[in-house]
Amino acid sequence: MIRNSILWVCLVFISSATWAQQPTTLTVETQSNTLVFQTDAQNHLRTIYFGKRLKNKEELALIETQNNQRDVNTGIYNSIYTPSGSWNMLEPALNIVHADGNASTDLIYQSINTLKENEDVTLTTILLKDPVYQTEVKIFLKAYFQEDVIEQWTEIKNTEKAPITLQKYASANLYLNAQKFYLTHYLGAWGREMRPEETALTGGIKVIDSKLGTRTNLYEPPTFMLSFNKPSEEDQGDILLGTLGWSGNFKIDFEVDSYHNLRVIAGINPHASAYPLASNTVFKTPSFIYTLSHQGKGFASRNLHRWARKYRILDGTGERLTLLNNWEATYFDFDQQKITNLFKDGKKLGVDLFLLDDGWFANKYPRNDDTAGLGDWEENRKKLPDGLGYLVKEAQKTGIKFGIWLEPEMVNPRSELYEKHPDWVVKQPQRPEHYFRNQLVLDLSNPQVQDYVFGVVDKLFTKNPGLAFIKWDCNAVTFNAHSAYLQARGESQGKFYVEYIKGLYSVLERIRVKYPKIPMMLCSGGGGRVDYEALKYFTEFWPSDNTEPLERIFIQWNYSHYFPAVATCNHVTDWGKQPLKFRTDVAMMGKLGFDIVVEHLSKDDLVFGQLAIENYNKLKNIIWQGEQYRLVDPYKNDIASLMYVDENQSKAIMFNYLVSNRFELTATPRAIQLKGLNPNKRYKIEEINLYANTPSTLNSSLILSGDFLMTVGYNPEVNDKRTSVILTINEVK
Ligand code: DGJ
């Protein structure tokens, strides 16, 4: 009884304190959503609403009057950026050890600044300060109005006289209200990237993270989906897609609090990364990018794609090159003659570029397999006696562009680079070296190593100005993380993982200042690496080494939730037992390439390949720049189906694949409802990518309205004889 009355007194106090002064209410808006922050009686800033856009601005300040949350034992749940060590007891976004060793921080609202960059983009900056230590935190929220995307990051300023240590320094701290939350995240491994798992969140903390260093996404990407109240659906329900723009270790906490609301804290992984911040310097966190949809995941993906093409991916609205890669055709076993012959094959097939893969370099320790040579970026004189310059010219003579593979962040212990600069290599001085694919990581926290890596790329372009493409690979995780450079300078190893990624971005920035437009593929022996910070510098990424077409449908399906087709490289290879048509049809669902021996193709297959590239060239702009609609989910059905629609809703392309061969599945049992068309327009549907001797079973004279196609649907007649079907849908005037 006594205990109850103390609690009651306490509640009354908090309650009356809350109303003692007029709260400050701040908003950030996009086309469909409003994000509202409000101060409490002590001027702590809290997230009081993130949801459907509210019409009456004057009512925003009243949202909190309808809440009855009294977080007496834990601090506040909905802090805009939760500090630790003071009054807050929940998972923090910020944890600082101050210069005097004190580990407490509190953050008090100071001011807001809003800058309209253009009609679409508004940057809001919110300043918070610790009243005791004067630590400054700025929260940046960049709202992309049309796209419904928010990019959020934080700056932490050390205003003390000596270094402070950042123990945790998240990019963003969201607070979401719903009855229940379903999290979809993605487990990875080589060849098995982006395997989704959807799970209902229960009270407490669920963490997704990675500590792999360089190739961090191989375990788990910093990309997730939250569905509110029910499991995610394509066209219904509230869905938040979130992703951290950071190519290194990350950690995202999902904490369901005692009101069953959700705290999401996303940022660099603090694991082994206590970061000393010098006096009067600022730490800028990576961006956390998110979009909230009220029409399911399809709408959310389209918003993110549009944002990515327009604002993030290098040349996101530009051209891409189809290519022939020699990796699976030759592996390391090639010479000048073989390669120049392949140029002719590429030309015959009809691609834009030939991509010379691994194995072209190193002399003292020739790169004839993956045990040697990495780091020695000189042409191997035996294989390529006339050098790359000759190959560039020969390719041009054949009428094809020439690109090259690099893995500049890595080194084999059997290399001249390792012999000359053992201190440039990431390893523990007192422990045995531990290899991943027989190689080690170079220490990009060291500016000399940054210069070296930039120099490798710069020298290649200076010597061979005709070089038209780079595939930037990264095949090792960071074992034995330790920097000799930081040690020599007496700096904390806690900086290593962060400085490595900053060093990488600084090299990429220098490359882009000098070579702004050269297309570069972000590769990592599979989907080890793709995020929206790296994609500022890359035109495309390699989702997985797994090109088995059935597997690939699922892998591409999962990536399609976050990354647009223009950036998703799909290659036709000899993986899988499916015919060339199936493999090509699957690869056409993104940026098309080939990694096959063209001379091994039958006459019919060669003609088919040529026709498919011709078709692709006619349709690629719809695939790359159109709106993507996922129609039939292969996880729940025997087929997969998705389509792209152009801006004017006058041209579309639909991809359909059989993904299961169950007994008596002889045809798509019913029509598939199309999406994204104009109900009032009339469309002609034609099947493409067919062998000359295999006519379509579909009636190509049928003209149907958008209304019919989106309500009744269309049956592409996918069956065990027609395992992949591509349709063009063109407006008839
Ligand atoms: C891994 C890549 O994913 C492959 O395509 C190929 O480039 C090899 N590395 C080369 O070592």
PDB file of all heavy atoms in Angstrom, residues 3 5 10 12-13 89 153 184 197 207 254 295 330 372 399 447 474 500 511 515 642-643 687:
ATOM      1  N   ARG A   3       3.977   1.380  -0.880  1.00  0.00           N
ATOM      2  CA  ARG A   3       4.680   1.411  -2.144  1.00  0.00           C
ATOM      3  C   ARG A   3       3.791   2.018  -3.254  1.00  0.00           C
ATOM      4  O   ARG A   3       4.215   2.844  -4.036  1.00  0.00           O
ATOM      5  CB  ARG A   3       5.104   0.006  -2.521  1.00  0.00           C
ATOM      6  CG  ARG A   3       6.235   0.057  -3.521  1.00  0.00           C
ATOM      7  CD  ARG A   3       6.499  -1.272  -4.111  1.00  0.00           C
ATOM      8  NE  ARG A   3       7.490  -1.991  -3.340  1.00  0.00           N
ATOM      9  CZ  ARG A   3       7.627  -3.307  -3.351  1.00  0.00           C
ATOM     10  NH1 ARG A   3       6.811  -4.031  -4.067  1.00  0.00           N
ATOM     11  NH2 ARG A   3       8.547  -3.882  -2.646  1.00  0.00           N
ATOM     12  N   SER A   5       1.299   4.155  -2.973  1.00  0.00           N
ATOM     13  CA  SER A   5       1.075   5.600  -2.889  1.00  0.00           C
ATOM     14  C   SER A   5       2.319   6.374  -3.309  1.00  0.00           C
ATOM     15  O   SER A   5       2.227   7.443  -3.892  1.00  0.00           O
ATOM     16  CB  SER A   5       0.592   6.011  -1.505  1.00  0.00           C
ATOM     17  OG  SER A   5       1.384   5.409  -0.539  1.00  0.00           O
ATOM     18  N   CYS A  10       4.597   9.878  -7.400  1.00  0.00           N
ATOM     19  CA  CYS A  10       5.602  10.016  -8.444  1.00  0.00           C
ATOM     20  C   CYS A  10       4.959  10.300  -9.806  1.00  0.00           C
ATOM     21  O   CYS A  10       5.380  11.169 -10.542  1.00  0.00           O
ATOM     22  CB  CYS A  10       6.364   8.695  -8.486  1.00  0.00           C
ATOM     23  SG  CYS A  10       7.906   8.847  -9.271  1.00  0.00           S
ATOM     24  N   VAL A  12       1.985  11.553 -10.402  1.00  0.00           N
ATOM     25  CA  VAL A  12       1.376  12.881 -10.405  1.00  0.00           C
ATOM     26  C   VAL A  12       2.448  13.923 -10.690  1.00  0.00           C
ATOM     27  O   VAL A  12       2.277  14.818 -11.505  1.00  0.00           O
ATOM     28  CB  VAL A  12       0.678  13.162  -9.065  1.00  0.00           C
ATOM     29  CG1 VAL A  12       0.306  14.628  -8.958  1.00  0.00           C
ATOM     30  CG2 VAL A  12      -0.559  12.280  -8.935  1.00  0.00           C
ATOM     31  N   PHE A  13       3.627  13.738 -10.055  1.00  0.00           N
ATOM     32  CA  PHE A  13       4.693  14.707 -10.237  1.00  0.00           C
ATOM     33  C   PHE A  13       5.118  14.767 -11.713  1.00  0.00           C
ATOM     34  O   PHE A  13       5.155  15.823 -12.323  1.00  0.00           O
ATOM     35  CB  PHE A  13       5.897  14.324  -9.354  1.00  0.00           C
ATOM     36  CG  PHE A  13       7.109  15.128  -9.697  1.00  0.00           C
ATOM     37  CD1 PHE A  13       7.168  16.470  -9.324  1.00  0.00           C
ATOM     38  CD2 PHE A  13       8.156  14.581 -10.416  1.00  0.00           C
ATOM     39  CE1 PHE A  13       8.272  17.230  -9.660  1.00  0.00           C
ATOM     40  CE2 PHE A  13       9.250  15.342 -10.749  1.00  0.00           C
ATOM     41  CZ  PHE A  13       9.313  16.663 -10.367  1.00  0.00           C
ATOM     42  N   MET A  89      17.684   4.043 -19.003  1.00  0.00           N
ATOM     43  CA  MET A  89      18.150   2.685 -18.686  1.00  0.00           C
ATOM     44  C   MET A  89      17.962   1.728 -19.864  1.00  0.00           C
ATOM     45  O   MET A  89      18.173   0.546 -19.721  1.00  0.00           O
ATOM     46  CB  MET A  89      17.340   2.117 -17.513  1.00  0.00           C
ATOM     47  CG  MET A  89      17.177   3.036 -16.355  1.00  0.00           C
ATOM     48  SD  MET A  89      18.571   2.884 -15.268  1.00  0.00           S
ATOM     49  CE  MET A  89      18.540   4.455 -14.470  1.00  0.00           C
ATOM     50  N   TRP A 153      21.273  10.844 -40.167  1.00  0.00           N
ATOM     51  CA  TRP A 153      22.592  10.589 -39.605  1.00  0.00           C
ATOM     52  C   TRP A 153      22.822  11.552 -38.447  1.00  0.00           C
ATOM     53  O   TRP A 153      22.005  12.436 -38.174  1.00  0.00           O
ATOM     54  CB  TRP A 153      23.680  10.711 -40.674  1.00  0.00           C
ATOM     55  CG  TRP A 153      23.936  12.090 -41.187  1.00  0.00           C
ATOM     56  CD1 TRP A 153      24.890  12.956 -40.743  1.00  0.00           C
ATOM     57  CD2 TRP A 153      23.248  12.762 -42.247  1.00  0.00           C
ATOM     58  NE1 TRP A 153      24.838  14.128 -41.468  1.00  0.00           N
ATOM     59  CE2 TRP A 153      23.847  14.037 -42.388  1.00  0.00           C
ATOM     60  CE3 TRP A 153      22.187  12.424 -43.098  1.00  0.00           C
ATOM     61  CZ2 TRP A 153      23.414  14.966 -43.334  1.00  0.00           C
ATOM     62  CZ3 TRP A 153      21.758  13.353 -44.045  1.00  0.00           C
ATOM     63  CH2 TRP A 153      22.369  14.601 -44.149  1.00  0.00           C
ATOM     64  N   THR A 184      11.716  -8.767 -41.123  1.00  0.00           N
ATOM     65  CA  THR A 184      12.352  -9.632 -42.121  1.00  0.00           C
ATOM     66  C   THR A 184      13.799  -9.197 -42.232  1.00  0.00           C
ATOM     67  O   THR A 184      14.086  -8.029 -42.504  1.00  0.00           O
ATOM     68  CB  THR A 184      11.680  -9.503 -43.506  1.00  0.00           C
ATOM     69  OG1 THR A 184      10.290  -9.772 -43.348  1.00  0.00           O
ATOM     70  CG2 THR A 184      12.281 -10.472 -44.508  1.00  0.00           C
ATOM     71  N   GLU A 197      14.285 -14.171 -43.485  1.00  0.00           N
ATOM     72  CA  GLU A 197      13.596 -14.801 -42.356  1.00  0.00           C
ATOM     73  C   GLU A 197      12.664 -13.760 -41.775  1.00  0.00           C
ATOM     74  O   GLU A 197      13.107 -12.670 -41.430  1.00  0.00           O
ATOM     75  CB  GLU A 197      14.610 -15.237 -41.296  1.00  0.00           C
ATOM     76  CG  GLU A 197      15.367 -16.465 -41.736  1.00  0.00           C
ATOM     77  CD  GLU A 197      16.294 -17.028 -40.681  1.00  0.00           C
ATOM     78  OE1 GLU A 197      16.350 -16.460 -39.576  1.00  0.00           O
ATOM     79  OE2 GLU A 197      16.957 -18.023 -40.985  1.00  0.00           O
ATOM     80  N   VAL A 207      18.780  -8.463 -32.247  1.00  0.00           N
ATOM     81  CA  VAL A 207      19.862  -7.712 -32.898  1.00  0.00           C
ATOM     82  C   VAL A 207      20.185  -8.364 -34.227  1.00  0.00           C
ATOM     83  O   VAL A 207      20.275  -9.588 -34.319  1.00  0.00           O
ATOM     84  CB  VAL A 207      21.130  -7.739 -32.007  1.00  0.00           C
ATOM     85  CG1 VAL A 207      22.318  -7.127 -32.744  1.00  0.00           C
ATOM     86  CG2 VAL A 207      20.886  -6.997 -30.707  1.00  0.00           C
ATOM     87  N   PHE A 254      16.542  -4.020 -32.330  1.00  0.00           N
ATOM     88  CA  PHE A 254      15.080  -3.873 -32.395  1.00  0.00           C
ATOM     89  C   PHE A 254      14.575  -4.182 -30.985  1.00  0.00           C
ATOM     90  O   PHE A 254      14.551  -5.352 -30.578  1.00  0.00           O
ATOM     91  CB  PHE A 254      14.477  -4.869 -33.394  1.00  0.00           C
ATOM     92  CG  PHE A 254      14.994  -4.680 -34.797  1.00  0.00           C
ATOM     93  CD1 PHE A 254      16.144  -5.332 -35.226  1.00  0.00           C
ATOM     94  CD2 PHE A 254      14.350  -3.828 -35.680  1.00  0.00           C
ATOM     95  CE1 PHE A 254      16.628  -5.154 -36.517  1.00  0.00           C
ATOM     96  CE2 PHE A 254      14.825  -3.648 -36.972  1.00  0.00           C
ATOM     97  CZ  PHE A 254      15.973  -4.307 -37.394  1.00  0.00           C
ATOM     98  N   GLN A 295       1.026   0.971 -48.237  1.00  0.00           N
ATOM     99  CA  GLN A 295       0.462   0.107 -49.285  1.00  0.00           C
ATOM    100  C   GLN A 295       1.378  -1.074 -49.555  1.00  0.00           C
ATOM    101  O   GLN A 295       1.665  -1.405 -50.700  1.00  0.00           O
ATOM    102  CB  GLN A 295       0.280   0.919 -50.563  1.00  0.00           C
ATOM    103  CG  GLN A 295      -0.740   2.022 -50.434  1.00  0.00           C
ATOM    104  CD  GLN A 295      -0.543   3.076 -51.498  1.00  0.00           C
ATOM    105  OE1 GLN A 295      -0.645   2.782 -52.678  1.00  0.00           O
ATOM    106  NE2 GLN A 295      -0.240   4.288 -51.095  1.00  0.00           N
ATOM    107  N   THR A 330      37.271 -19.310 -68.583  1.00  0.00           N
ATOM    108  CA  THR A 330      38.708 -19.666 -68.606  1.00  0.00           C
ATOM    109  C   THR A 330      39.304 -19.867 -67.216  1.00  0.00           C
ATOM    110  O   THR A 330      40.355 -20.461 -67.084  1.00  0.00           O
ATOM    111  CB  THR A 330      39.523 -18.524 -69.253  1.00  0.00           C
ATOM    112  OG1 THR A 330      39.431 -17.356 -68.415  1.00  0.00           O
ATOM    113  CG2 THR A 330      39.054 -18.194 -70.650  1.00  0.00           C
ATOM    114  N   ALA A 372      48.492 -16.913 -55.138  1.00  0.00           N
ATOM    115  CA  ALA A 372      49.641 -16.015 -55.329  1.00  0.00           C
ATOM    116  C   ALA A 372      49.300 -14.797 -56.178  1.00  0.00           C
ATOM    117  O   ALA A 372      48.333 -14.800 -56.951  1.00  0.00           O
ATOM    118  CB  ALA A 372      50.776 -16.788 -56.008  1.00  0.00           C
ATOM    119  N   GLY A 399      35.438  -3.857 -82.116  1.00  0.00           N
ATOM    120  CA  GLY A 399      34.160  -3.150 -81.948  1.00  0.00           C
ATOM    121  C   GLY A 399      33.509  -3.437 -80.612  1.00  0.00           C
ATOM    122  O   GLY A 399      32.279  -3.465 -80.490  1.00  0.00           O
ATOM    123  N   PRO A 447      47.102   5.941 -44.582  1.00  0.00           N
ATOM    124  CA  PRO A 447      47.025   6.787 -45.777  1.00  0.00           C
ATOM    125  C   PRO A 447      47.980   6.346 -46.897  1.00  0.00           C
ATOM    126  O   PRO A 447      47.669   6.523 -48.076  1.00  0.00           O
ATOM    127  CB  PRO A 447      47.423   8.179 -45.268  1.00  0.00           C
ATOM    128  CG  PRO A 447      47.237   8.122 -43.794  1.00  0.00           C
ATOM    129  CD  PRO A 447      47.376   6.708 -43.357  1.00  0.00           C
ATOM    130  N   CYS A 474      36.321  -8.235 -53.757  1.00  0.00           N
ATOM    131  CA  CYS A 474      36.737  -8.189 -52.350  1.00  0.00           C
ATOM    132  C   CYS A 474      36.402  -9.552 -51.740  1.00  0.00           C
ATOM    133  O   CYS A 474      35.254  -9.796 -51.404  1.00  0.00           O
ATOM    134  CB  CYS A 474      35.963  -7.074 -51.659  1.00  0.00           C
ATOM    135  SG  CYS A 474      36.113  -7.070 -49.879  1.00  0.00           S
ATOM    136  N   TYR A 500      39.134   1.930 -41.484  1.00  0.00           N
ATOM    137  CA  TYR A 500      39.284   1.131 -42.708  1.00  0.00           C
ATOM    138  C   TYR A 500      38.231   1.568 -43.735  1.00  0.00           C
ATOM    139  O   TYR A 500      38.536   1.869 -44.894  1.00  0.00           O
ATOM    140  CB  TYR A 500      39.112  -0.371 -42.413  1.00  0.00           C
ATOM    141  CG  TYR A 500      39.287  -1.193 -43.674  1.00  0.00           C
ATOM    142  CD1 TYR A 500      40.521  -1.742 -43.998  1.00  0.00           C
ATOM    143  CD2 TYR A 500      38.244  -1.345 -44.585  1.00  0.00           C
ATOM    144  CE1 TYR A 500      40.697  -2.437 -45.178  1.00  0.00           C
ATOM    145  CE2 TYR A 500      38.411  -2.036 -45.769  1.00  0.00           C
ATOM    146  CZ  TYR A 500      39.635  -2.589 -46.059  1.00  0.00           C
ATOM    147  OH  TYR A 500      39.810  -3.257 -47.245  1.00  0.00           O
ATOM    148  N   ILE A 511      38.999   8.429 -56.706  1.00  0.00           N
ATOM    149  CA  ILE A 511      38.807   7.817 -58.035  1.00  0.00           C
ATOM    150  C   ILE A 511      37.691   8.543 -58.775  1.00  0.00           C
ATOM    151  O   ILE A 511      37.817   8.883 -59.955  1.00  0.00           O
ATOM    152  CB  ILE A 511      38.483   6.309 -57.895  1.00  0.00           C
ATOM    153  CG1 ILE A 511      39.711   5.572 -57.348  1.00  0.00           C
ATOM    154  CG2 ILE A 511      38.041   5.705 -59.235  1.00  0.00           C
ATOM    155  CD1 ILE A 511      39.472   4.104 -56.997  1.00  0.00           C
ATOM    156  N   TYR A 515      37.836  10.194 -62.201  1.00  0.00           N
ATOM    157  CA  TYR A 515      37.148   9.379 -63.225  1.00  0.00           C
ATOM    158  C   TYR A 515      35.662   9.301 -62.859  1.00  0.00           C
ATOM    159  O   TYR A 515      35.176   8.263 -62.387  1.00  0.00           O
ATOM    160  CB  TYR A 515      37.765   7.981 -63.297  1.00  0.00           C
ATOM    161  CG  TYR A 515      39.267   8.012 -63.458  1.00  0.00           C
ATOM    162  CD1 TYR A 515      40.111   7.780 -62.375  1.00  0.00           C
ATOM    163  CD2 TYR A 515      39.838   8.331 -64.694  1.00  0.00           C
ATOM    164  CE1 TYR A 515      41.484   7.853 -62.518  1.00  0.00           C
ATOM    165  CE2 TYR A 515      41.218   8.404 -64.838  1.00  0.00           C
ATOM    166  CZ  TYR A 515      42.032   8.171 -63.744  1.00  0.00           C
ATOM    167  OH  TYR A 515      43.388   8.249 -63.878  1.00  0.00           O
ATOM    168  N   LEU A 642       7.141 -11.020 -62.218  1.00  0.00           N
ATOM    169  CA  LEU A 642       7.250  -9.595 -61.881  1.00  0.00           C
ATOM    170  C   LEU A 642       7.323  -8.766 -63.146  1.00  0.00           C
ATOM    171  O   LEU A 642       7.584  -9.311 -64.217  1.00  0.00           O
ATOM    172  CB  LEU A 642       8.398  -9.333 -60.909  1.00  0.00           C
ATOM    173  CG  LEU A 642       9.772  -8.838 -61.285  1.00  0.00           C
ATOM    174  CD1 LEU A 642      10.560  -8.574 -60.038  1.00  0.00           C
ATOM    175  CD2 LEU A 642      10.497  -9.808 -62.158  1.00  0.00           C
ATOM    176  N   MET A 643       6.987  -7.494 -63.021  1.00  0.00           N
ATOM    177  CA  MET A 643       6.962  -6.669 -64.228  1.00  0.00           C
ATOM    178  C   MET A 643       7.519  -5.273 -63.966  1.00  0.00           C
ATOM    179  O   MET A 643       7.628  -4.833 -62.822  1.00  0.00           O
ATOM    180  CB  MET A 643       5.539  -6.580 -64.797  1.00  0.00           C
ATOM    181  CG  MET A 643       4.548  -5.862 -63.927  1.00  0.00           C
ATOM    182  SD  MET A 643       2.847  -6.000 -64.570  1.00  0.00           S
ATOM    183  CE  MET A 643       2.882  -4.816 -65.921  1.00  0.00           C
ATOM    184  N   GLU A 687       4.701 -12.297 -76.756  1.00  0.00           N
ATOM    185  CA  GLU A 687       5.786 -13.048 -76.122  1.00  0.00           C
ATOM    186  C   GLU A 687       7.073 -12.824 -76.915  1.00  0.00           C
ATOM    187  O   GLU A 687       7.073 -12.847 -78.141  1.00  0.00           O
ATOM    188  CB  GLU A 687       5.430 -14.543 -76.084  1.00  0.00           C
ATOM    189  CG  GLU A 687       6.510 -15.334 -75.375  1.00  0.00           C
ATOM    190  CD  GLU A 687       6.129 -16.778 -75.089  1.00  0.00           C
ATOM    191  OE1 GLU A 687       5.029 -17.203 -75.478  1.00  0.00           O
ATOM    192  OE2 GLU A 687       6.966 -17.476 -74.473  1.00  0.00           O
TER     193      GLU A 687
END
